[in-house]
Amino acid sequence: MSYVLNDAVAFADESAEGFVAAHRNLVRRVRGGVARAAATPPGQVAVVIGGGSGHYPAFAGLVGPGIAHGAAMGNVFASPSAQQVVAVARAVASDAGVLLTYGNYAGDALNFDQAQEQLRAEGIPCQSVRVTDDICSAPAAEQEKRRGIAGDLVVFRAAGWAAEQGLDLEAVAAFAARANERTRSIGVAFSGCTLPGAAEPLFTVPEGMMAVGMGIHGEPGIETVPIAPARELAELLTARILAERPENGTGGRVGVIINGLGSVKSEELFLLYGAILPLLKDAGLAIVDPEVGEYATSFEMAGLSLTIVWLDDELEQAWRSPAYTPAYRKGTVDLAAAPAAPDEVGGAADAGTVIAAGEEAAAAGARVLKAIESIRNVIDREVDELGRLDAIAGDGDHGIGMQRGARAAAEAAAAASSAGAGAGTVLTRAGEAWADKAGGTSGALWGLALRTLGRQIGDAGAPGAAVVAQAVAAAREAIQRTGKAEIGDKTLVDALIPFSERLTALASEGRGLSTAWTEAATAATAAAAATADLLPRLGRARPHAEKSLGTPDPGAVSFALAVTAVGTVLDAYNLKEN
Amino acid sequence: MSYVLNDAVAFADESAEGFVAAHRNLVRRVRGGVARAAATPPGQVAVVIGGGSGHYPAFAGLVGPGIAHGAAMGNVFASPSAQQVVAVARAVASDAGVLLTYGNYAGDALNFDQAQEQLRAEGIPCQSVRVTDDICSAPAAEQEKRRGIAGDLVVFRAAGWAAEQGLDLEAVAAFAARANERTRSIGVAFSGCTLPGAAEPLFTVPEGMMAVGMGIHGEPGIETVPIAPARELAELLTARILAERPENGTGGRVGVIINGLGSVKSEELFLLYGAILPLLKDAGLAIVDPEVGEYATSFEMAGLSLTIVWLDDELEQAWRSPAYTPAYRKGTVDLAAAPAAPDEVGGAADAGTVIAAGEEAAAAGARVLKAIESIRNVIDREVDELGRLDAIAGDGDHGIGMQRGARAAAEAAAAASSAGAGAGTVLTRAGEAWADKAGGTSGALWGLALRTLGRQIGDAGAPGAAVVAQAVAAAREAIQRTGKAEIGDKTLVDALIPFSERLTALASEGRGLSTAWTEAATAATAAAAATADLLPRLGRARPHAEKSLGTPDPGAVSFALAVTAVGTVLDAYNLKEN
C-alpha cells in the first residue's frame, strides 16, 4: 500500500511535480508529461514513451540522453490521454518527426493511436512501436496481443540510440520494432499491490504461491504454483524464455534484465541473477551488460521478471550505449553538449476563449453544466463501488478514472458556462477536459462522446429530444468506431446502445426530452445490470473479461449511473418549467 | 518477506556472488567483500565502508569512483567480522593508508575497531569515522551514540572525494568527520521487514501508525503516531531536522536525501520531496542536487528518511562531484582512466598449515572438536528460538549468527583435528572461523573467547580442570575488556561470569573437569534464565534492552546452551574412561 499521499486523486500529479523538482537539471515539465531539459536537435527523431503512473522508472525516469526525449505521464495505472501524448510530442518534436513507443495495453493503444492520427493531421510525421515482450500474455502465434513489461527498456534504448545516430523516422521505427521482435520476458508475482488511497489490494496472489505470467496490473498469468527455491525459479524462468527464442535470434550474445516489481529487493534479484547465469551459459549464451534492478514496477507488488534480448551487432551497440536519465545511467555521456530547451511549447491544446452565445443558448449551456455536475456527483458517490467492480476483471481504476474525468469536465463546463457558452461549447470543453485528465480507455471514450455531442448539438439554442437523440446516436457511432467494441463485449457499449435506441424511438414518438431521456436511462440501467450474465466474447479491448462472469461491467454501470443522474436534472428543469 | 532464496544461511553469500557477477566491470570479489575493479592509485587513501547485508545499495553498491574503494559485506543485518574488514582493507590499501567509515552500530564498531588495531599492527595506517546522522537514536548531547542511516551516503561521498583529491589520511578522516557533523537524518517506519527464510517479521509497526525515528533494524523510535497526510509528514520531518541544525551549519546551501527503506516506492518519495521543497525554501535553504531514491534500505520495510547536510564550499564540491558505482551514478566519470587491479591480495588471513601435536595432545584436540560439534548441534536445534528471543529487543539475527559461527567453527576444528592438531590449535582455528563467518557482536566475542582459550590451553597435552578454569577466566576478561559489558547489562557476560566463577571455585576444590564443568554449566543456565528479570542498565552495547524486560537475553541463553552441551560431551568421555 501507499503511505505517502495527500489525496488519491492528486497522487500522480503531485508525484510528477516532485519528480520534476528533483531532476530539474535533466527534465522539464511539459503539458501531459516531461521532456528532456535539452531540446531535440534538428534532424533527430524524437522518441516519446509513456503509460500510466505507478511503474517508476517507467516512464518519466527513462527520459534523457540515450533513451527517450519525452514521456506522457498518465494517471495511476491509466494510460495518458491522446491529448497528453500529443502535447508531449509537440514539445519535443524536431523536423524529423516522432516515434511513439509504449507497452501494448488496450488503453495505451487507443490513446497513442488517436495521438498519432492527430500529430499526422498537424503535419508532424509519426510512427508507433508497441512493446510486446511478455510471453505469458498471449500465445506465440498472437504476438501482437502480448503485453509490454520490462522489455520496454530494451525497445526504448534501441529507439533512443537509433534516433541519436541520426536515422530517419522509418529507420528508427524499424530498429525499435526489431528490438521488440528479439526481446522476450517472463514474470512471476508473489503478491499484489494496493493503489494509493485504496483500502484493499487491487489484486492478490495466494500466500505461499507464485503466479507465473501475472501482469503488472494483476492481469491473470498462466499458472499459479507453490513458491520454489531460487534455483528452481531460475530454471523455470530460463526454460520458458529459451523455448521462445525468436526465429532471428541465432547469435549467442544476449542482453539480460532481472527486473524487480516493487518489494522484491536488490539482494534477491542479485541472488536470482547468480542462479540464472550458469543456466544461460549452459545454453551457449554470452551475457552482455546485465541489468539487475527496477526498470518497470508496479508500486509495492512483490514480483520480478526475466528479460532476454537476442542481440545482433547493431542491437548490441544500442544495448551497450551510454545513457543518462533520472533513473538509468550508464557509461560516459557528455552532459554539456546538448543545447538548452526552448520555453515550453503550449498553445494548440489550450482552452482558448469562449464566445458568448445568446441568452437562450447560454441557458441551455447552464443546463448542460448542471447535467455534467450531476454526473460528477454520482461518480463521486459511487467511486469505490466502480473501482471494486473493475478490480474483478481489470485494473481497478475505473472509479478513480471516471472521477478524475467527471471532475475535470464539470470544472471546464463551469468555466465555459460562466463565460456565457452555449450547450455545444460547454459539452466540447467538458469532453476535452475529461479525456485530458482521466486518461485510460474510458477517459478517451467519454471525451469523444461529449465532444461528439457538443459538435452535434451546437450552440444555437435549447435542443429538443430529436436533436439530442441524433447527437447521442452519433456519439455511440464514434465510440464503436474507436473502441471496436460490440454489444456483448462487456463494455459501456452494452448500456449505450439500448440507451441510444430507446431515446431515438421515444423522440420519434414525439416524447419530450426529459421523459424520453429518463425512460432511456432506465433501459441503460437494465442493460448494465444484465452485463453480469453476459458470456463475454473476449474482444480485443477486454482480454480478461472471462474473470468477470457474474459481475456487471463497470463501464456500463457508470454509464447507466451517469445518464440516470442527467435524467433527474432534466426532470427537475421540466417540473420547474411546467 | 523474501521470495527469492535457496537457504537462509547462504542468502547473503549467494546474493553477493550475483551482485559481483552483475557488476564485474565495476567491482571484484575479495575476501570479506568487494573492491573496485581498478586498483587504488599510489598515494591515494583507500575508503573502506561496510556493514550488514539487507541494506542495498549500502554497502557494496556504493563501491566505485567517487565513493568507496571497498566494502566489507557482513551477513544479513550482521556486522562484517574484523577479519573481513581487514581482508578488504588489505586488498585495496595503497601506501597512503585506509579510512574505515561505517554506520555507528555496536557490532560494527566492535569489529571495525578490532580491524583498525590489526591493520595498524600490520603497518597499514588506519583511521575510522562512524556515521551518526540519525537524530532520533540518541539526544543531541550524546551525538556519538547516534546510529548511522542514509547519512552514510553523504559521509562516504565526502571521504571518497577527499581521497581522490589526494588528501592524506588525517585530512580525509577529518573531512569525512566534518561531513558527518553537518549531516542530520530522521526516519519514519510504516511496517517492519521479514528476514530471508524467517516465518515472522523481525519487527512490526501497528497498522495505520508510523513509528517516528524507528531504526533500520527495528530499533525503537521516539514516538508512534497515526499516519499523517504527506504534507503533514513533510512538516514533521522538516521541523524536527531543522531544530537540529548543526552549530557550524550557518550557510544556506544544503544537500537533501529522501531515502526509501524498501517498499515505499519512488512515486511516494517524489511526492514527499515535492512537499518538503517549499518548507526548506521557507526556511531560507537552497537545495543542491537532491537525491530521491533508495540509498540505505532494510529489505522490504516500509519507511523513509529525510537527510539534510549543511554544505560548506568543499562539502558542496564533494556532494556535487561525479561518481560511478553499481547503484549510484552521477555526472561524467572517465571510466577508462583507472589502472586495472592486481590479482586478489590474500595470504595473511589464510588458514596456514597445522603442525601435528603428540598423540595425547591430538586426542585432546579431538575432544575439543567433539565439544565444538556439540555446540554446533545445540545451536542448530535452537536457532529459531534464539532468533525469536533476539527479535524482542534486537535485530533477531542472534540465532542465525550463532549458527553460522558454530558451523564454521566446527568445520575449521574438524580440519585442524584431522591434521593432528592439539586442543589449543583446534580452539584457535575454531575461534578464527567463528568470528570470520558469524560477524556481528556475538561473532566477534565468541571468536575472541575461543582464541583466548586456545592460547591459554595450548597444545601440550590434555588440560585438567585448573588449566581450563584459568583459560575460561582469561576469556571472560578478554570479552569484558572488548565488549565493555558488565554483569546486569543483559549480555552473555551475565551467564559467563557465574560460569567462570563456579568453574574456578570447583577446580580449586580439586573437582575433575567434567564434574566441575557440568556444575558450572548449571550455574550459567540459571543465570541466563535470570536475565529475564534483570533491570537492565542500558549499557552502550544494548541501548534498547528496556524492550526485553521479562525475556532472557539470547546471548546469555546461547552461552548456557553451549556450555551445557559441552558438559555432556565431557561427561561422556568421563564415563567411557572410568
Side-chain angles (χ1 to χ4, degrees):
Chain A
M1 63 174 288
S2 299
Y3 298 94
V4 184
L5 80 161
N6 289 309
D7 171 15
V9 173
F11 181 86
D13 277 345
E14 290 183 15
S15 173
E17 292 301 332
F19 164 75
V20 173
H23 292 289
R24 61 201 168 89
N25 56 329
L26 298 178
V27 296
R28 62 198 160 98
R29 193 86 163 104
V30 296
R31 273 176 60 85
V34 293
R36 289 190 194 176
T40 309
Q44 186 171 112
V45 171
V47 175
V48 172
I49 61 177
S53 291
H55 304 301
Y56 194 87
F59 294 87
L62 301 176
V63 171
I67 316 189
H69 295 77
M73 300 170 73
N75 221 302
V76 173
F77 279 17
S79 162
S81 66
Q83 284 87 337
Q84 286 185 288
V85 178
V86 168
V88 172
R90 278 199 205 110
V92 298
S94 74
D95 52 340
V98 173
L99 177 72
L100 305 179
T101 178
Y102 53 93
N104 184 36
Y105 295 87
D108 294 288
L110 194 66
N111 283 289
F112 276 87
D113 276 354
Q114 284 192 17
Q116 174 171 284
E117 268 182 53
Q118 189 173 334
L119 289 166
R120 286 176 177 170
E122 292 178 11
I124 298 175
C126 183
Q127 295 283 341
S128 296
V129 174
R130 294 181 192 158
V131 183
T132 58
D133 57 313
D134 182 356
I135 63 172
C136 294
S137 54
E142 298 177 297
Q143 210 173 314
E144 76 287 353
K145 290 190 183 169
R146 287 179 168 176
R147 300 184 294 257
I149 49 176
D152 279 353
L153 181 70
V154 179
V155 179
F156 298 169
R157 294 263 289 137
W161 178 82
E164 291 178 20
Q165 297 299 303
L167 272 58
D168 68 20
L169 179 58
E170 307 301 319
V172 171
F175 190 65
R178 190 162 106 210
N180 182 53
E181 279 158 23
R182 289 167 162 265
T183 302
R184 300 285 185 275
S185 299
I186 179 170
V188 290
F190 307 105
S191 86
C193 67
T194 302
L195 297 188
E200 296 295 324
L202 180 56
F203 55 95
T204 56
V205 178
E207 196 169 320
M209 306 295 277
M210 58 183 190
V212 180
M214 176 177 266
I216 58 174
H217 312 95
E219 297 93 338
I222 50 177
E223 56 178 340
T224 299
V225 298
I227 293 177
R231 66 178 70 84
E232 288 173 30
L233 176 59
E235 280 163 14
L236 181 154
L237 298 174
T238 307
R240 283 193 184 264
I241 217 162
L242 291 182
E244 282 259 358
R245 187 180 188 128
E247 275 179 40
N248 50 5
T250 49
R253 294 174 71 77
V254 295
V256 170
I257 302 171
I258 311 283
N259 177 56
L261 287 177
S263 61
V264 172
K265 302 310 299 174
S266 299
E267 286 84 353
E268 295 170 83
L269 300 177
F270 286 129
L271 193 155
L272 182 67
Y273 177 69
I276 283 173
L277 188 57
L279 304 176
L280 295 183
K281 283 183 177 165
D282 287 351
L285 298 175
I287 299 174
V288 178
D289 287 11
E291 297 287 350
V292 181
E294 293 183 350
Y295 305 95
T297 64
S298 188
F299 283 110
E300 86 292 6
M301 176 174 175
L304 55 89
S305 60
L306 167 65
T307 299
I308 295 184
V309 50
W310 276 264
L311 300 168
D312 58 24
D313 288 349
E314 279 181 319
L315 276 170
E316 182 164 339
Q317 276 189 67
W319 180 244
R320 305 192 68 163
S321 67
Y324 200 91
T325 79
Y328 185 92
R329 298 173 187 183
K330 180 167 177 171
T332 301
V333 172
D334 184 354
L335 297 173
D343 284 348
E344 185 179 331
V345 179
D350 284 359
T353 315
V354 166
I355 294 157
E359 202 171 318
E360 192 194 2
R367 288 182 186 198
V368 169
L369 167 61
K370 288 285 173 210
I372 291 170
E373 285 176 343
S374 77
I375 296 177
R376 178 199 60 199
N377 295 345
V378 72
I379 298 299
D380 270 347
R381 200 181 70 214
E382 300 295 339
V383 59
D384 290 340
E385 176 63 12
L386 293 172
R388 193 190 63 75
L389 284 178
D390 188 37
I392 292 164
D395 54 9
D397 66 352
H398 184 72
I400 56 169
M402 287 290 292
Q403 187 175 49
R404 283 192 306 264
R407 285 182 176 183
E411 204 175 313
S417 176
S418 72
T425 298
V426 172
L427 282 162
T428 306
R429 290 295 157 82
E432 283 165 356
W434 189 308
D436 191 27
K437 288 297 189 310
T441 308
S442 73
L445 296 179
W446 270 89
L448 180 63
L450 292 177
R451 290 199 312 273
T452 307
L453 287 178
R455 206 166 40 239
Q456 293 279 328
I457 291 173
D459 286 333
V467 170
V468 171
Q470 201 173 0
V472 168
R476 161 200 150 178
E477 200 184 296
I479 280 182
Q480 282 199 273
R481 199 172 52 239
T482 304
K484 309 266 190 292
E486 291 168 48
I487 204 155
D489 284 351
K490 290 196 85 160
T491 71
L492 73 82
V493 164
D494 289 332
L496 170 58
I497 289 179
F499 175 76
S500 174
E501 285 176 352
R502 193 95 190 97
L503 189 62
T504 301
L506 292 168
S508 71
E509 288 170 18
R511 306 283 277 279
L513 176 59
S514 133
T515 328
W517 184 286
T518 305
E519 267 201 53
T522 306
T525 303
T531 58
D533 302 321
L534 279 177
L535 192 65
R537 289 189 286 151
L538 309 184
R540 156 181 164 287
R542 296 180 62 73
H544 302 300
E546 70 270 27
K547 278 184 73 188
S548 65
L549 285 175
T551 312
D553 177 71
V557 169
S558 60
F559 177 82
L561 288 169
V563 292
T564 304
V566 170
T568 313
V569 169
L570 296 177
D571 264 354
Y573 276 111
N574 211 27
L575 284 173
K576 215 160 54 178
E577 286 163 17
N578 292 345
Chain B
M1 62 173 290
S2 298
Y3 298 95
V4 185
L5 81 160
N6 290 308
D7 171 14
V9 172
F11 181 86
D13 277 345
E14 290 183 13
S15 174
E17 293 300 333
F19 164 75
V20 173
H23 293 288
R24 62 203 167 90
N25 56 329
L26 298 178
V27 296
R28 62 199 159 98
R29 192 86 161 105
V30 297
R31 272 176 59 85
V34 294
R36 288 190 195 176
T40 309
Q44 186 172 111
V45 172
V47 176
V48 172
I49 62 177
S53 291
H55 303 302
Y56 193 86
F59 294 88
L62 301 177
V63 171
I67 316 190
H69 295 77
M73 299 170 73
N75 221 300
V76 173
F77 280 16
S79 163
S81 67
Q83 285 86 338
Q84 287 184 287
V85 177
V86 167
V88 173
R90 277 199 206 109
V92 298
S94 74
D95 53 339
V98 173
L99 177 72
L100 305 178
T101 177
Y102 53 93
N104 185 37
Y105 296 88
D108 294 288
L110 195 65
N111 283 289
F112 276 86
D113 276 353
Q114 285 191 16
Q116 174 171 286
E117 267 181 54
Q118 190 172 337
L119 288 166
R120 286 177 178 171
E122 292 178 13
I124 298 176
C126 184
Q127 294 284 340
S128 296
V129 173
R130 294 182 193 157
V131 183
T132 57
D133 57 314
D134 181 356
I135 63 171
C136 294
S137 54
E142 298 176 297
Q143 211 172 314
E144 75 289 351
K145 289 189 183 171
R146 288 180 167 176
R147 300 183 295 257
I149 48 175
D152 280 353
L153 180 70
V154 179
V155 178
F156 299 168
R157 295 261 292 134
W161 178 81
E164 291 179 20
Q165 297 299 303
L167 271 59
D168 69 18
L169 179 58
E170 306 302 318
V172 172
F175 190 65
R178 191 162 105 209
N180 182 54
E181 280 159 23
R182 288 167 163 263
T183 302
R184 301 285 185 273
S185 299
I186 178 169
V188 290
F190 307 105
S191 86
C193 66
T194 303
L195 296 187
E200 296 296 325
L202 180 56
F203 56 94
T204 56
V205 178
E207 198 169 319
M209 305 295 278
M210 59 184 189
V212 180
M214 176 177 266
I216 58 174
H217 312 95
E219 298 92 338
I222 50 177
E223 56 177 340
T224 299
V225 298
I227 293 177
R231 66 178 69 85
E232 288 173 29
L233 175 60
E235 279 162 15
L236 181 154
L237 298 174
T238 307
R240 283 191 184 265
I241 219 163
L242 292 183
E244 282 260 357
R245 187 179 188 129
E247 275 179 39
N248 49 6
T250 48
R253 294 174 72 77
V254 295
V256 170
I257 303 170
I258 310 283
N259 178 57
L261 287 177
S263 61
V264 172
K265 302 309 299 174
S266 299
E267 287 84 353
E268 296 170 83
L269 301 176
F270 286 129
L271 194 154
L272 182 66
Y273 177 69
I276 283 173
L277 189 57
L279 304 177
L280 294 183
K281 282 184 179 164
D282 286 352
L285 299 176
I287 299 174
V288 178
D289 287 10
E291 297 285 352
V292 180
E294 293 184 349
Y295 305 95
T297 65
S298 187
F299 284 111
E300 87 291 6
M301 177 175 174
L304 55 88
S305 60
L306 166 66
T307 298
I308 295 183
V309 49
W310 276 263
L311 301 169
D312 58 25
D313 288 350
E314 278 181 318
L315 277 171
E316 182 164 339
Q317 277 190 67
W319 180 243
R320 306 192 67 164
S321 67
Y324 200 91
T325 78
Y328 185 92
R329 298 172 187 183
K330 180 167 178 170
T332 302
V333 173
D334 184 353
L335 297 172
D343 285 347
E344 185 180 328
V345 179
D350 285 357
T353 317
V354 166
I355 295 157
E359 200 172 318
E360 192 194 1
R367 288 183 186 198
V368 169
L369 167 61
K370 288 285 173 209
I372 290 170
E373 285 175 342
S374 76
I375 296 177
R376 178 200 59 198
N377 296 346
V378 73
I379 297 299
D380 270 346
R381 201 181 69 215
E382 301 294 342
V383 59
D384 290 340
E385 176 63 11
L386 293 172
R388 196 190 62 76
L389 284 178
D390 188 37
I392 293 164
D395 53 11
D397 67 351
H398 184 72
I400 57 170
M402 287 291 292
Q403 187 175 50
R404 284 193 306 266
R407 285 181 177 184
E411 204 175 310
S417 177
S418 72
T425 298
V426 172
L427 282 163
T428 304
R429 291 292 156 83
E432 284 166 356
W434 189 308
D436 191 25
K437 287 297 189 310
T441 308
S442 74
L445 296 179
W446 270 89
L448 180 64
L450 292 177
R451 290 200 312 273
T452 307
L453 287 177
R455 205 166 42 239
Q456 293 280 326
I457 289 173
D459 287 333
V467 169
V468 171
Q470 200 170 2
V472 168
R476 163 200 149 178
E477 200 184 298
I479 281 182
Q480 284 200 272
R481 200 172 50 238
T482 304
K484 308 265 189 293
E486 291 168 48
I487 203 154
D489 285 349
K490 291 196 86 163
T491 72
L492 74 80
V493 164
D494 288 332
L496 170 58
I497 289 179
F499 175 77
S500 175
E501 284 177 352
R502 192 97 188 94
L503 189 63
T504 301
L506 293 166
S508 72
E509 288 171 18
R511 306 283 276 280
L513 176 58
S514 135
T515 328
W517 185 285
T518 306
E519 267 202 51
T522 307
T525 303
T531 58
D533 302 319
L534 278 177
L535 192 67
R537 288 189 286 150
L538 310 184
R540 155 182 165 286
R542 297 180 62 74
H544 303 299
E546 70 270 26
K547 276 184 73 188
S548 65
L549 284 175
T551 313
D553 177 72
V557 169
S558 61
F559 177 82
L561 287 170
V563 293
T564 303
V566 171
T568 313
V569 171
L570 295 176
D571 264 354
Y573 276 110
N574 210 28
L575 283 172
K576 217 161 53 178
E577 284 164 18
N578 290 346

